[in-house]
Amino acid sequence: MLRTNIDKTVMQSLQGKIHHPINPSPFRVDVNGNAHILPATGGITYNVKVGDCAFGWSGDHVEPGVSIRNEDRNENNAMMLFACIGNEAKVVTGDAKGAKGFVIGKHGGIEHVLIQFEKDDLEKMAIDDKILIKGFGQGLKLLDYPDIQVMNVDPRLFLNIHIKEDTVLKVPVVAEVPAYLMGSGIGALTAFSGDYDIMTEDLDEIKRLGLDKLKFGDLVLLRDCDNSYGRGYLKGAVSIGVVIHSDCIKMGHGPGITTIMTCKKSLIEGYKDENANILNYIDYIK
């Protein structure tokens, strides 16, 4: 097993409220200049969940599960930074009080933390219900691989991923994404919050690479992508991320990726595994 500082990684309370969908403009313009009125971010998305395909939805930037936020910017910034994929989440107000789920991603721009719950629990929830997260993961280190940064992932989920140790770390992934397809979110200040998008205007290239079959929760390898101190291109750098929101119609956008590993050197490799999805690594939430 990988040696980590899990015993020194801090677990801390975070809390947000289910955020109503917002729509400052009625229209969303696609890459061909056509205007659409479509469901998008926020709220409780009843029929989209982890494990579903990220493509084909009649929507834009659709967030599976429940989207939460704080209106106090500083509080929300903290939640966006310290919530990690795989963290336990619990409803603490309303008819669904006591229901448990887990964090499935962090969506930049709209600044939402996304959480998966059972369908029966979703039916009991309402806008403004409060959800408590046990934030756990930021500060996790790989003791034998100091050049590799781990971020945005619960240590228990991370250690359940079937990572093979060699001269490099070999990580199961559903697909590899070349740097030239990474779009919205490039140049961000940090990859410890939010996501960035696989651009999908060139659908022929997306299909050639098998990316049109990506599911919410899938692990992907980002080739020549450095997420160490922001997001950008670096030849030889490798990052691993998780698919967190749907395909999009807007130019420069597509399925969102929250980073969980990155290295400026080629010390991470991917090996193909169609089952490399966070659903298959969650077994610790009771």
Side-chain angles (χ1 to χ4, degrees):
M1 180 177 287
L2 289 168
R3 292 198 318 124
T4 72
N5 67 335
I6 185 172
D7 59 323
K8 299 295 184 183
T9 304
V10 175
M11 181 183 291
Q12 191 175 50
S13 63
L14 306 165
Q15 188 167 289
K17 296 192 297 184
I18 300 177
H19 189 219
H20 198 289
I22 57 174
N23 203 44
S25 169
F27 298 109
R28 290 175 175 261
V29 179
D30 67 21
V31 296
N32 296 310
N34 301 310
H36 303 263
I37 296 178
L38 294 168
T41 57
I44 304 163
T45 306
Y46 297 98
N47 61 339
V48 184
K49 62 186 183 304
V50 175
D52 290 342
C53 186
F55 288 81
W57 297 98
S58 186
D60 184 72
H61 290 84
V62 177
E63 298 171 336
V66 175
S67 307
I68 69 171
R69 193 167 92 169
N70 287 302
E71 296 312 315
D72 182 293
R73 181 176 296 180
N74 289 332
E75 291 181 359
N76 203 60
N77 286 346
M79 185 174 69
M80 288 293 295
L81 278 171
F82 297 118
C84 290
I85 292 172
N87 284 171
E88 178 183 314
K90 183 170 70 172
V91 182
V92 293
T93 63
D95 292 343
K97 184 176 180 179
K100 286 186 177 180
F102 60 94
V103 174
I104 59 177
K106 303 190 287 189
H107 189 181
I110 190 65
E111 306 305 313
H112 283 162
V113 172
L114 314 181
I115 305 173
Q116 181 77 58
F117 288 96
E118 295 293 336
K119 182 173 176 59
D120 288 348
D121 293 324
L122 294 179
E123 296 293 341
K124 300 173 186 176
M125 293 181 190
I127 301 297
D128 287 337
D129 280 355
K130 294 180 181 180
I131 297 176
L132 178 72
I133 296 169
K134 290 183 176 178
F136 186 40
Q138 304 296 37
L140 182 68
K141 299 183 186 304
L142 302 182
L143 300 182
D144 297 318
Y145 302 89
D147 292 320
I148 298 176
Q149 291 189 51
V150 181
M151 59 186 73
N152 304 321
V153 62
D154 191 295
R156 297 163 296 183
L157 187 150
F158 180 76
L159 291 172
N160 278 346
I161 298 173
H162 304 139
I163 297 174
K164 301 174 182 178
E165 288 191 78
D166 202 335
T167 53
V168 299
L169 290 186
K170 298 181 178 180
V171 182
V173 294
V174 171
E176 291 195 11
V177 185
Y180 59 79
L181 285 180
M182 297 312 295
S184 179
I186 285 284
L189 179 64
T190 180
F192 282 78
S193 178
D195 70 309
Y196 68 140
D197 290 5
I198 302 171
M199 296 185 289
T200 54
E201 180 182 7
D202 191 336
L203 193 55
D204 288 340
E205 182 70 351
I206 293 298
K207 290 180 177 178
R208 184 184 74 82
L209 295 168
L211 301 178
D212 59 313
K213 297 178 175 61
L214 288 178
K215 301 179 178 66
F216 301 113
D218 278 354
L219 270 62
V220 295
L221 183 145
L222 310 180
R223 181 69 63 189
D224 300 322
C225 292
D226 180 14
N227 281 237
S228 301
Y229 303 102
R231 300 188 183 102
Y233 174 85
L234 178 65
K235 186 70 174 178
V238 181
S239 295
I240 302 291
V242 175
V243 180
I244 63 107
H245 70 64
S246 80
D247 189 22
C248 312
I249 66 170
K250 295 172 66 177
M251 180 70 76
H253 291 258
I257 307 297
T258 293
T259 309
I260 63 169
M261 297 176 72
T262 192
C263 188
K264 290 179 177 290
K265 305 174 184 178
S266 299
L267 298 178
I268 303 171
E269 292 182 358
Y271 69 89
K272 193 71 174 293
D273 181 355
E274 63 182 15
N275 295 313
N277 188 288
I278 61 172
L279 280 178
N280 296 317
Y281 310 128
I282 295 278
D283 62 4
Y284 48 85
I285 295 176
K286 306 300 181 183

